[in-house]
Amino acid sequence: MGWCCLFLLFCFTWSFFVLGTYPLQSSQTQVLQQLRKHLEYPNQLEIWNNRSIDFCYLSSFPQVNITCQDNFVTELRIVGDKTAKVSDFHGFAIPKQTLSENFFMDSFVATLARLTNLRVLSLVSLGIWGPLPDKIHRLSSLEYLDLSSNFLFGSVPPKISTMVELQTLKLDDNFFNDTVPNWFDSMSNLTILSLRNNQLKGQFPSSILSITTLTDLIMSRNGMSGKLPHLSSLTSLHVLDLSANKLDSVLPKMPKGVVMVILSNNSFFGEIPQQYGQLSQLQHLDLSFNVLRGKPPSAVFSLPNISFLNIASNMISGSLPDHLSCGSKLEFIDISNNKLMGGLPSCFNTNSDKRIVEVDGNCLSFNTRHQHVESYCMEVYMKKQSKRKNAGILVGLIIGVFILMMLLAYGFLILWRIYWPRGISEQHLLHKTVQDSSAAGFSSELLASARFVSEAAKFGTSSLPVCRSYTFEELKEATNNFDNSAFMGEGSYGKLYKGRLENGALVAIRCMPLSKKYSIRNLKLRLDLLAKLRHPHLVCLLGHCIDVGGRDDFSTNKILLISEYLPSGSFCTHLAENSHGKVFNWSERLAILISIAKAVHFLHTGIIPGFFHNRLKTNNILLNEHGMAKLSDYGLSIISEETDKCGAKVEGYKSWQMKNLEDDVCSFGFILLEALVGPSVCARRDALLLNEIASINSLDGQKRIIDPIVQATCSQESLSIVLSIMSKCISLESCSRPSIEDVLWNLQYAAQIQGTVSGDHRFDAASPQ
């Protein structure tokens, strides 16, 4: 009877286990395979080649661990072999260390975000490179995030602060080079924060002080500077490592329960606080290589749990008391390279096997062979005091001279404003017929203080030449006196010429009429603002020339903009069936659309104030000799004569494109439409085209209107994503249009789907039958 009951119990338990195990959803499997492709098929993921494998049972592999709950991935851990071996990183792919230049961080994170139930994510030493995008916050269920030992740069994205479930955040051994983030106060569940070995700068973030759950705070080997505030509010803190920074203040108060404190290699000054002698849980204290002075508190040596104490290489002086007692667990003491004098306490017995004591480089009477004479320490002390006094006098003198110069400058400015005639600096350049205006939404003050907010755009554009001012004679020589052979065409912004500069570089020169709305000063501010717009997918502005005329009819009141010359034509010419060049397939069109969406996103968010009216069209998308797409004629509305008119005149039916052309998202929607149907169909501005667009979501409508090359080279899912976002972009209601960031995300997702389908075809073709 007993054996029968035992057998029934076993059967019941086994059936419960089977019923509680679910196969992984196919969509989750697809995401994992896409991640493998993003990571360029690392050796650690070779096991994933077997399509029949159950991903949820890979925990036995030390470098790859996947955990599932129900039929969703909840934990993903991958450890690669691409550890950072460079001391500096400039934002470009490095062969054999990073992933290739084809890797795109935005797409990778967008794919990760489809693992909606993910709670643990650890991707270590995989060669991942690029700025960490804000969309990482879409992994809203994450409790553990570790992206250590990669090549991430830029800023730590602020939207991580919205991941309120996060308990562990590790971004060690990367190249983050912005200011230290200061938005941690919303992360009420955070217990471990580790940003070790980056290039973060700025002051210690005060928002950390409100995280009472924090147990480990590790931000060593960065560039933090300034004051370190009192940390006693971090009541749960056990480990603090801020070594190898540039912190320069007195030592702060510590929480009572702290176990490890490492503040070495900074510039802390003053005395070691007496409060450190009350930290009963403290086991490890390292204050070496600072400029601490005075005597160390005797109680620090006798703490009940202290095992490691290092105060070497400071300016600690005086003598240690003979009756000093050492804690029973103290195994290592280093007081070397200070200014201590006198004898050693008996508990510093250097012959003991249980305790290591380093005392060299002081003025102690013990072991004089490795000590300075006592008079040296006194002399050094007196010199330091004298230098400090002299430095104080010098600083006071400098401050006094500076204040005097400021008062003189202020008085001169007042006199200049009273007696100097206004506007004389502009009268010899151009007679002002109207007052300075703030057309296009930019006042002179705002133009002068315009600032960039994008770090990612700085990488990849540092090699571009600096924008400079050209003389009209230089441009005449470059174009053979604006000969007809140099004429390239004329658009809404004036005539375009091809020229060759003195250094042999080919350039495009656009000649625009000089607007009478702006003074020369205001116009130069606007041109300077345009010159700051640098992005890999924007045609680079190399220079400008303001010509106020007076010599001939051609040069009367002109602005000439000099930009880089792109020899491979426009995007539009590669969409037409009768094109002399290559006609792009669907994947190539998507790649170009993504590049231009990035450029528009930069124009909207990469500088304050943003540029929102850029007259986007396929003719303004140019290709260089490598096939890279770049947007031209951007931002010219702030210097053109007609800022309130939209697009070229169209005869006949007034399409809603003309009404909303000033909306970049709407204009981009028509670029998407042209990429789908071709320029010949898109050129029709009649009611029939509107009806056909309305039916484009049906298969019959797609066969009738979509370019045959697109139909032959696209996947249906990828096409559907682009059709959906295109329809939203050209919506009649502006409030229902998406942001350019949403457009970019959808295009990247469509490219991933298309790439997966193409990759599957290649995989199937290579697989044994």
Side-chain angles (χ1 to χ4, degrees):
M1 185 66 181
W3 284 102
C4 183
C5 291
L6 188 62
F7 177 74
L8 290 174
L9 179 62
F10 172 77
C11 291
F12 173 76
T13 305
W14 180 82
S15 62
F16 179 79
F17 173 78
V18 171
L19 292 173
T21 303
Y22 300 90
L24 193 62
Q25 278 193 359
S26 59
S27 61
Q28 299 275 288
T29 302
Q30 185 183 30
V31 171
L32 292 175
Q33 291 291 357
Q34 288 179 2
L35 290 175
R36 177 172 172 253
K37 180 179 178 182
H38 278 298
L39 295 173
E40 299 174 0
Y41 306 101
N43 295 331
Q44 293 79 7
L45 302 184
E46 282 185 358
I47 187 67
W48 292 10
N49 283 334
N50 183 0
R51 295 201 170 190
S52 62
I53 192 171
D54 190 341
F55 287 95
C56 298
Y57 291 94
L58 291 178
S59 57
S60 58
F61 295 89
Q63 294 174 313
V64 183
N65 186 5
I66 298 178
T67 304
C68 308
Q69 184 174 344
D70 296 335
N71 51 358
F72 291 95
V73 176
T74 58
E75 181 174 335
L76 176 61
R77 298 176 187 262
I78 306 174
V79 179
D81 54 7
K82 295 180 182 293
T83 54
K85 299 178 182 178
V86 294
S87 58
D88 200 8
F89 179 59
H90 299 287
F92 298 97
I94 303 175
K96 297 183 180 180
Q97 293 198 45
T98 69
L99 297 176
S100 72
E101 60 184 10
N102 296 323
F103 175 77
F104 186 55
M105 190 65 184
D106 264 15
S107 299
F108 179 65
V109 173
T111 303
L112 277 172
R114 294 167 61 193
L115 298 175
T116 53
N117 288 49
L118 201 61
R119 293 200 297 267
V120 174
L121 177 62
S122 178
L123 303 173
V124 177
S125 300
L126 290 169
I128 298 170
W129 67 278
L132 184 60
D134 253 341
K135 58 173 65 79
I136 190 71
H137 82 284
R138 294 175 180 173
L139 293 165
S140 56
S141 300
L142 271 188
E143 299 172 3
Y144 183 101
L145 176 60
D146 185 358
L147 300 177
S148 301
S149 298
N150 285 293
F151 293 80
L152 303 175
F153 60 81
S155 60
V156 181
K159 285 197 175 180
I160 286 183
S161 62
T162 65
M163 303 168 69
V164 294
E165 301 297 327
L166 203 60
Q167 299 175 20
T168 298
L169 176 60
K170 293 184 177 182
L171 300 174
D172 301 336
D173 302 307
N174 280 287
F175 296 88
F176 290 106
N177 56 352
D178 204 339
T179 55
V180 184
N182 196 16
W183 33 249
F184 295 105
D185 43 0
S186 62
M187 306 180 73
S188 57
N189 292 311
L190 196 64
T191 58
I192 298 176
L193 174 61
S194 186
L195 304 175
R196 181 184 61 234
N197 194 22
N198 282 281
Q199 299 170 12
L200 295 168
K201 50 188 177 292
Q203 295 193 338
F204 179 85
S206 58
S207 58
I208 287 180
L209 302 177
S210 61
I211 313 176
T212 56
T213 56
L214 199 63
T215 61
D216 293 40
L217 176 58
I218 303 170
M219 303 176 73
S220 57
R221 300 183 66 184
N222 280 285
M224 287 192 301
S225 58
K227 179 182 178 181
L228 182 62
H230 292 316
L231 304 175
S232 51
S233 61
L234 300 177
T235 53
S236 301
L237 191 66
H238 292 156
V239 176
L240 174 67
D241 185 358
L242 302 178
S243 59
N245 279 284
K246 301 175 182 178
L247 298 167
D248 53 350
S249 66
V250 297
L251 291 172
K253 290 183 179 180
M254 292 290 166
K256 293 182 179 179
V258 70
V259 174
M260 178 181 291
V261 176
I262 305 176
L263 299 176
S264 57
N265 292 91
N266 280 283
S267 298
F268 289 108
F269 55 85
E271 298 185 359
I272 300 175
Q274 294 292 331
Q275 188 248 357
Y276 285 20
Q278 302 170 11
L279 303 175
S280 59
Q281 303 300 316
L282 188 62
Q283 300 176 17
H284 186 115
L285 178 62
D286 189 349
L287 304 176
S288 58
F289 294 95
N290 285 286
V291 285
L292 299 172
R293 298 179 179 276
K295 294 182 181 180
S298 300
V300 171
F301 295 90
S302 58
L303 288 170
N305 290 295
I306 191 76
S307 62
F308 181 100
L309 177 59
N310 188 353
I311 56 175
S313 300
N314 280 283
M315 300 294 292
I316 294 173
S317 58
S319 58
L320 297 174
D322 294 335
H323 60 274
L324 181 74
S325 62
C326 298
S328 59
K329 298 181 180 180
L330 187 57
E331 298 176 351
F332 180 87
I333 306 173
D334 191 349
I335 60 172
S336 59
N337 298 313
N338 281 289
K339 306 301 174 190
L340 290 167
M341 297 181 290
L344 279 180
S346 58
C347 70
F348 278 37
N349 184 2
T350 57
N351 296 323
S352 172
D353 294 333
K354 296 182 180 179
R355 184 171 296 154
I356 298 173
V357 180
E358 300 288 345
V359 299
D360 294 349
N362 284 283
C363 297
L364 298 168
S365 57
F366 171 83
N367 191 14
T368 56
R369 181 179 177 184
H370 300 287
Q371 303 290 322
H372 299 291
V373 295
E374 188 169 315
S375 59
Y376 166 82
C377 289
M378 291 299 299
E379 181 181 353
V380 170
Y381 177 75
M382 295 303 295
K383 284 183 177 179
K384 292 287 184 182
Q385 291 294 100
S386 177
K387 286 183 179 179
R388 183 183 298 178
K389 183 177 180 180
N390 292 338
I393 295 174
L394 181 61
V395 170
L397 183 61
I398 292 173
I399 292 175
V401 171
F402 177 76
I403 293 174
L404 179 61
M405 291 178 65
M406 290 296 294
L407 290 174
L408 290 173
Y410 182 70
F412 176 77
L413 181 62
I414 293 176
L415 292 173
W416 183 82
R417 288 192 173 185
I418 294 174
Y419 296 107
W420 199 259
R422 298 187 179 184
I424 194 168
S425 61
E426 294 180 357
Q427 287 176 2
H428 72 284
L429 293 174
L430 182 68
H431 294 289
K432 290 181 66 174
T433 57
V434 293
Q435 295 295 324
D436 279 47
S437 67
S438 58
F442 301 109
S443 65
S444 296
E445 292 77 9
L446 191 57
L447 288 164
S449 62
R451 61 185 178 88
F452 284 89
V453 298
S454 173
E455 285 293 331
K458 294 180 182 178
F459 291 91
T461 59
S462 57
S463 61
L464 293 176
V466 177
C467 182
R468 74 176 184 86
S469 178
Y470 287 84
T471 64
F472 187 70
E473 285 69 23
E474 286 181 286
L475 302 184
K476 287 179 67 176
E477 182 178 350
T479 58
N480 194 18
N481 199 17
F482 295 94
D483 188 76
N484 287 334
S485 60
F487 182 69
M488 297 174 62
E490 184 171 6
S492 55
Y493 284 122
K495 296 180 179 180
L496 188 66
Y497 293 85
K498 179 180 177 181
R500 186 181 294 275
L501 298 178
E502 187 177 0
N503 61 6
L506 287 174
V507 293
I509 302 173
R510 181 171 295 283
C511 180
M512 301 174 58
L514 183 65
S515 175
K516 294 182 180 179
K517 293 181 179 180
Y518 318 120
S519 67
I520 294 296
R521 175 180 175 274
N522 187 269
L523 186 60
K524 287 182 176 179
L525 287 173
R526 293 166 183 269
L527 289 171
D528 289 343
L529 183 58
L530 279 177
K532 291 179 181 179
L533 299 177
R534 296 300 177 99
H535 188 273
H537 297 294
L538 291 178
V539 173
C540 177
L541 181 64
L542 303 177
H544 53 75
C545 171
I546 302 176
D547 188 72
V548 295
R551 289 183 295 272
D552 51 57
D553 292 337
F554 176 82
S555 60
T556 302
N557 297 339
K558 299 288 183 184
I559 310 173
L560 296 103
L561 302 180
I562 301 90
S563 58
E564 60 178 321
Y565 175 75
L566 278 69
S568 299
S570 69
F571 184 36
C572 181
T573 60
H574 291 273
L575 298 176
E577 295 179 4
N578 57 355
S579 171
H580 297 294
K582 177 185 177 183
V583 179
F584 289 147
N585 62 28
W586 180 237
S587 295
E588 292 167 329
R589 298 184 192 201
L590 274 179
I592 289 175
L593 292 170
I594 289 172
S595 297
I596 300 307
K598 291 178 187 177
V600 178
H601 182 259
F602 171 75
L603 290 172
H604 286 191
T605 64
I607 190 172
I608 297 175
F611 286 76
F612 296 95
H613 311 304
N614 295 288
R615 296 195 187 179
L616 306 178
K617 53 186 177 180
T618 54
N619 283 328
N620 290 346
I621 301 173
L622 305 181
L623 305 172
N624 67 9
E625 63 273 17
H626 305 296
M628 176 185 283
K630 297 192 177 189
L631 181 65
S632 67
D633 291 354
Y634 52 86
L636 298 186
S637 60
I638 69 166
I639 60 172
S640 65
E641 182 71 34
E642 300 178 355
T643 59
D644 56 340
K645 295 183 180 180
C646 304
K649 294 181 179 179
V650 178
E651 300 294 336
Y653 188 84
K654 183 178 179 181
S655 72
W656 73 100
Q657 183 188 9
M658 306 313 351
K659 181 179 178 181
N660 297 294
L661 189 59
E662 71 276 7
D663 187 318
D664 281 351
V665 173
C666 180
S667 301
F668 194 85
F670 280 91
I671 292 177
L672 294 176
L673 177 62
E674 193 164 338
L676 288 165
V677 304
S680 59
V681 178
C682 192
R684 291 161 41 199
R685 310 291 187 188
D686 50 23
L688 177 60
L689 176 61
L690 300 181
N691 293 332
E692 289 178 342
I693 293 175
S695 64
I696 202 171
N697 289 321
S698 67
L699 290 177
D700 290 338
Q702 292 173 13
K703 291 179 180 179
R704 185 172 60 255
I705 190 173
I706 289 181
D707 189 334
I709 295 177
V710 173
Q711 296 186 48
T713 57
C714 75
S715 73
Q716 184 58 45
E717 186 177 357
S718 175
L719 179 63
S720 298
I721 293 170
V722 178
L723 284 173
S724 175
I725 197 66
M726 181 271 293
S727 299
K728 294 176 182 177
C729 288
I730 62 176
S731 170
L732 289 170
E733 299 295 331
S734 59
C735 60
S736 63
R737 294 175 196 149
S739 67
I740 193 64
E741 182 182 9
D742 291 332
V743 175
L744 176 58
W745 189 91
N746 278 272
L747 289 175
Q748 290 168 347
Y749 184 40
Q752 291 174 32
I753 297 298
Q754 181 68 25
T756 302
V757 172
S758 302
D760 288 344
H761 289 331
R762 291 193 295 270
F763 182 87
D764 292 339
S767 298
Q769 300 297 323

